[in-house]
Amino acid sequence: MSNNSILVVGGGFAGITAALEAAEIGHEVFIVEKNPYLGGRVAQLNKYFPKLCPPSCGLEIQFQRIKNNPKVKFFTLAEVLSVSGSPGDFTVKIKLSPRYVNERCTACGECEKAASTLVENEFEFGLVKRKAAYRTHLFAFPMRYTLDAAKCGADELRRIKDSCPYDAIDLDDAEKTIELNVGSIVLATGWKPYDVAKLGELGGGKLANVITNMQMERLASPSGPTNGKILRPSDNKAPRKIAFVQCAGSRDQNHLNYCSYICCMASLKQLSYIREQNPDALVVVYYIDLRTPGRYEAFKRRATDDKKLLLVKGKVAKIVEDAGTGDPTVTVENAVTGIRSEERFDLVVLATGMQPSIAGRDVPAGVSLDEDGFIISGMDKGFIAAGCAKLPLDVMKTAQSGTGAALKAIQTVVGR
Amino acid sequence: MAEKLGVYICSGCEIGKNLDVEALAEFVRNGKHKAICKLVKTNAVLCSPDGRAEIEADIAAAGLEGVVVCACSPRAKWEVFNFGPKTLVGRVNLREQCVWSFEDDPKFPDLMTVLAKDYINMGIMNCSKSGIPEPEVPEVCQTIMVLGGGFTGLTAALNAATLGKEVVLVEKEDALGGYAAKMYKSFPLAHPYDQTQDTGIDKLIGAVTDNPKIKVFTGAGLANLEGAPGLYKATVKTAAGEEVLDIGAVVLATGWTRGEASFLEPLGLGKLKNVITTYDLEKMAKNGGIVRPSDNKPAESVAFILDVEKCMEGVDWSRGEVCEPVEPLPAEAAKKEEGAEEEFVYQDLESAKHISYSSEISSLVALKQAGYVRERNPNALAYILYDHMMVPGINEKYYKAAQDNPGIMLSKARVTEIAEGAGGGLSISAKNTLIGESIEIQADLVVLPTAVVPVTAHEPTINLEYRQGPAFPDLDLFDGFADSNYICFPYETRRTGVYAAGCVRQPMTMATCREDAAGAVLKAVQCVNSANHGVAVHPRSGDKTFPVFNFVRCTQCKRCTEECPFGALDDDEKGTPKPNPTRCRRCGTCMGACPERVISFANYNVDQIGSTIKEIKVPDKIDEGGPRVIVLACENDAYPALDMAAMRGHKWSPYVRFIPVRCLGSVNAIWVADAMSKGIDGVMLLGCKYGDDYQCHFVKGSELCSRRKENIAESLGRLGVEPERVEQFEVSIDDYDKIPGMIEKFMNEVISKYGPNPFKGY
Ligand SMILES: Cc1cc2nc3c(=O)[nH]c(=O)nc-3n(C[C@H](O)[C@H](O)[C@H](O)COP(=O)(O)OP(=O)(O)OC[C@H]3O[C@@H](n4cnc5c(N)ncnc54)[C@H](O)[C@@H]3O)c2cc1C
Ligand code: SF4
Ligand code: SF4
């Protein structure tokens, strides 16, 4: 007898979609997510192109569907340790890392006030620091704090524990391993931003006023570090002259040897963030091709109908910083005129691409990756890839892919 | 009607620090609802394991039908305050909406207690008027009908059959395969994405025709689709006659037709013999040689034009205004033309835009066909002139491969003219290219892109026997594509049970069609499955309620049948609404539309919300306790935004009272009228954005609400109350920093401009 349950690895948009679509046909599903929250990368975005609507709008519906469906179970701070067995009968070992905060937490934030250690804030891409006791973001689901116990001393831990009025801090929490039996496995492990530190010539990660497109999302987000005001990091000034550098690390055999699909549309979307705050800012987009496929063309036409926008086909060779002002200067060769020039900006946004998050990591036997880390096979072995683990996609196509993956996962467990 | 309730008041999360919860409990014990509040308790931390255990024990011991949890937002601690399907749970949001967001007004004492008492009474009333739904479970048919036997349709049929479903496949042509069967080869459809490959269509056709679960009709059309998901009767017409089939749900995979030649005329099509389209070239490649039509000379140089700017002159790319001018409601408009038999006219939606929308396919096809040119004649040259090479994502690899082909010249270019050239060839002028400021190229053939135009741009295709017409509504928003307006939910449209996939939904490659077919089949199977259990599909998936009609009072005004965003209501012979529960999404728009209050849900109805509003204690005079404003807030977006506003420490007037609603579409004018006759000074309606980029999860709810304002204004006018006291606001879920300002502005304007509601004190 085959096991009808489905394991979904990754609780981003593809994973949540796959899980819900399968559960709403009656299958038991388990979502395993390594972050302390569900939602994945879209939780960090301000708006979606082309509608310019907030991602939390769709996530709220997804979370309601999870709340109302007892067939969906999820684990956060969880990772798959090992998989054995075969389609219809897998045994999966899951590692649950300690959260040190139990289900009594009301998200009152007292622990955060009591904590003193400041650490790197992954959710905000380093734009600010966070406390060791933290809630990743305003819209976190589940709405529960997390404690980085390893980063605090014993005294601080005691202070944090004592501060909680609900007895929710559990310093004895420890790593656990659980075992699940499932019939098929959806791999929806998604993507990570390409590491800008590898783009040294563009000042990636070194120059304060050269940020990534994901950092731009956080700056524009009303719950982000600046409450939605686009301010440049070096001096918190509102930038008046901004450049976007497309294909930063993409379409380049030394970095990502494919096009990341979304960064052109993302920059045009971010242009609208800038316009909302400063109709007069001068914006220059340096591109190879502006890739706005399908009906996105209509969005491109509207976005580029803008007198203060300059589109330049050209490859940016170098970005350096003016020591006094912190202004980045971009060296670029215009592909049409052949003219090489230097242009000074207040802020430069590197339109970095998406790299599969499992690139270079171990995958279960039966799954194979292409040279960039995208999953290319495994379906016949009971592993179904979905979303950006499979191909660079936008959210609409990710939702489509997640829905299709649910079907494939069900096909794997029925009729066996 | 629940008559045995337990009321639990939490003092955690700063509630107890700000409110005397014991006094509140006493207030309930001795209050107007004491008869139904069998137990009233307080708890230091209600969501703690002990708190929950106490409630659970009380439910069992006292036989409580419902519990009213006066604590945090219903969005918090949902897993704790769930006592199974037999117990009603009412949530009173004391934490976010009373304590955290409280802004004092020193004019009056203890306003927070006044606020808390109102909310508690409202919560008790709301819960007592709720009920446990008993789903209606029809006998459903599980068969999936796939319309269209092209690559997408064939893939869909196989997918459904693999799940064990019976499948009916209906194809218009005499042979299966669609356009893929007419193609010579395909651009890459799988890893390593860098080579032209076989389409695989013959194998796919074979697998479908060999599958015993799939019944194939060729040379066939869907004449009529009557009924509702799980219960459809489909009339399939073939040369042999008509057959009526039982169908559960439909996958629409009717694909595309090629665009009108006239839209490409600015680039010479139809005027210059040797200007053809990729469609023509594909046919040539499949059937033999690539030649110039003028003299059948094998083409030695072929220019593929991807820059179609010349065809886009005068095209309007603007989007409809967010707030469209108020049109009369459909029912009103219909009344005007009474008597006249409505004839359905289908608006053709093809335009030059479809050429642009096909840019990705066009680019890949140009790369592929440039390869054909080189394959046929290794000395031939192919040019590709593009504005933006539209090969996003993994297909970049195919572009890279073409760049390595020495006979393929690629350049950015703005094509300015195509004219007769020397020796029977053509001359192409272009500027802004990578090889010069302005250039001229000679070629034997010029190949223009083929626009992918969805069949639904020309005809209804699904031929529904629905009161609201045979086609998907709103196709104009998508230029004729049978697409969804939701980024997150790409299969959701206004027609439950019909799921589009492939090029009828969006221009897409066959690799994407393959995924899309799987997704649409899943939704179709899920829809039938949900019908089979009597529960709703997206977005209220699993909801067991459905609208119940008390037909005795129905005046056949047809408002509900016109307004239902999902076309769930037909008319019967007498003109009475005929519900089709399996089409229904439980939005409550019909309930909001009905002037006779005929429609209700077990756990959401006109009387329930009306009675909840009446629980608000309105001071006889503004200077005896302040004004009162009610806010009807969409529970999916505005309500979470309010929660987050409170979490971020925003404060607002202690005189507003929030009431969540399923959708603004469900707001019945009577609620507003009742509020006004009670002396409430103003009503704010917080709902989703509407217009072309609507965010309403029920598509039309917030828009319909705004259009009903006319009705509301009229009835307020009759009462002698200023219609400006009622205002609708568009609120997104991330507007948490803006909402407090909206509330403040509204409060100030209503009170300063119109003063107290004249009904106060009556
Ligand atoms: C010139 C050109 C070349 C292309 N080359 C490639 C390529 O190399 N690789 C690639 O991936 N994509 C290519 N494409 C895109 C590819 O054609 C589409 O992705 C694919 O055909 C879409 O499949 P479909 O099933 O959605 O549509 P179709 O293949 O068109 O199938 C739809 C079927 O439904 C039938 N039908 C229509 N109306 C009805 C009705 N009312 N009732 C019943 N049946 C109906 C049609 O007759 C047809 O058989 C190309 C497109 C163009 C324009
Ligand atoms: S989407 Fe645009 S920016 Fe991103 S890799 Fe592709 S072409 Fe470059
Ligand atoms: S609840 Fe909504 S979908 Fe259902 S019949 Fe009423 S208006 Fe239509």
Side-chain angles (χ1 to χ4, degrees), chain B residues 97-208:
Chain B
Q97 293 182 350
C98 189
V99 174
W100 283 358
S101 56
F102 182 77
E103 184 179 73
D104 203 9
D105 182 350
K107 269 195 229 129
F108 305 104
D110 216 5
L111 285 170
M112 197 194 279
T113 306
V114 174
L115 182 59
K117 285 179 176 172
D118 268 2
Y119 275 137
I120 293 173
N121 274 339
M122 290 160 76
I124 294 169
M125 178 54 81
N126 191 298
C127 189
S128 77
K129 296 266 180 185
S130 190
I132 307 275
E134 282 175 34
E136 205 165 89
V137 183
E139 192 65 38
V140 312
C141 165
Q142 308 254 354
T143 305
I144 305 296
M145 170 179 268
V146 178
L147 267 189
F151 186 84
T152 310
L154 293 165
T155 310
L158 273 182
N159 270 323
T162 313
L163 267 194
K165 303 291 164 192
E166 297 296 328
V167 181
V168 172
L169 178 67
V170 178
E171 164 58 49
K172 187 168 72 179
E173 305 284 322
D174 292 334
L176 293 176
Y179 186 62
K182 300 186 184 112
M183 281 190 306
Y184 172 44
K185 282 181 187 168
S186 173
F187 47 74
L189 304 174
H191 180 75
Y193 291 102
D194 59 359
Q195 284 150 34
T196 303
Q197 66 169 81
D198 188 53
T199 59
I201 193 76
D202 294 337
K203 223 171 121 195
L204 197 55
I205 295 172
V208 166

Side-chain angles (χ1 to χ4, degrees), chain B residues 335-507:
Chain B
K335 247 187 258 156
K336 280 182 207 129
E337 304 153 22
E338 204 139 19
E341 190 60 31
E342 266 181 75
E343 204 181 311
F344 183 81
V345 189
Y346 202 71
Q347 189 199 348
D348 194 281
L349 291 166
E350 181 177 347
S351 72
K353 289 182 191 173
H354 289 96
I355 306 171
S356 277
Y357 293 159
S358 309
S359 59
E360 181 178 4
I361 290 180
S362 302
S363 297
L364 288 164
V365 168
L367 294 170
K368 171 181 80 170
Q369 295 188 346
Y372 295 169
V373 170
R374 300 274 302 144
E375 172 195 295
R376 288 300 148 90
N377 178 357
N379 296 320
L381 274 185
Y383 301 92
I384 300 182
L385 302 178
Y386 59 87
D387 182 11
H388 298 278
M389 183 51 83
M390 204 63 72
V391 287
I394 206 76
N395 285 320
E396 170 79 7
K397 300 199 173 185
Y398 192 50
Y399 177 34
K400 283 229 160 109
Q403 287 168 340
D404 292 340
N405 188 324
I408 301 180
M409 315 289 175
L410 294 137
S411 175
K412 179 182 172 69
R414 168 82 349 124
V415 175
T416 51
E417 207 193 342
I418 297 177
E420 301 279 6
L426 295 161
S427 136
I428 304 117
S429 312
K431 58 178 190 182
N432 287 339
T433 77
L434 304 181
I435 31 190
E437 171 48 35
S438 77
I439 58 162
E440 212 171 285
I441 294 171
Q442 304 297 321
D444 286 333
L445 258 186
V446 164
V447 186
L448 305 182
T450 304
V452 171
V453 181
V455 296
T456 41
H458 300 310
E459 55 182 51
T461 318
I462 48 178
N463 296 326
L464 292 167
E465 181 87 20
Y466 278 23
R467 189 203 188 286
Q468 293 180 354
F472 281 111
D474 296 346
L475 288 185
D476 53 330
L477 289 183
F478 320 118
D479 294 284
F481 286 97
D483 206 350
S484 166
N485 195 30
Y486 299 110
I487 292 165
C488 311
F489 314 112
Y491 297 103
E492 298 305 337
T493 67
R494 291 175 62 186
R495 289 298 173 258
T496 314
V498 182
Y499 301 95
C503 285
V504 72
R505 193 164 82 75
Q506 284 178 1

Side-chain angles (χ1 to χ4, degrees), chain A residues 51 105 166 291 295 390, chain B residues 13 77 396 483 485 515:
Chain A
K51 275 174 73 183
C105 170
Y166 306 103
R291 290 188 168 161
R295 286 197 292 111
K390 188 174 178 181
Chain B
C13 287
K77 298 291 175 189
E396 170 79 7
D483 206 350
N485 195 30
E515 297 268 303

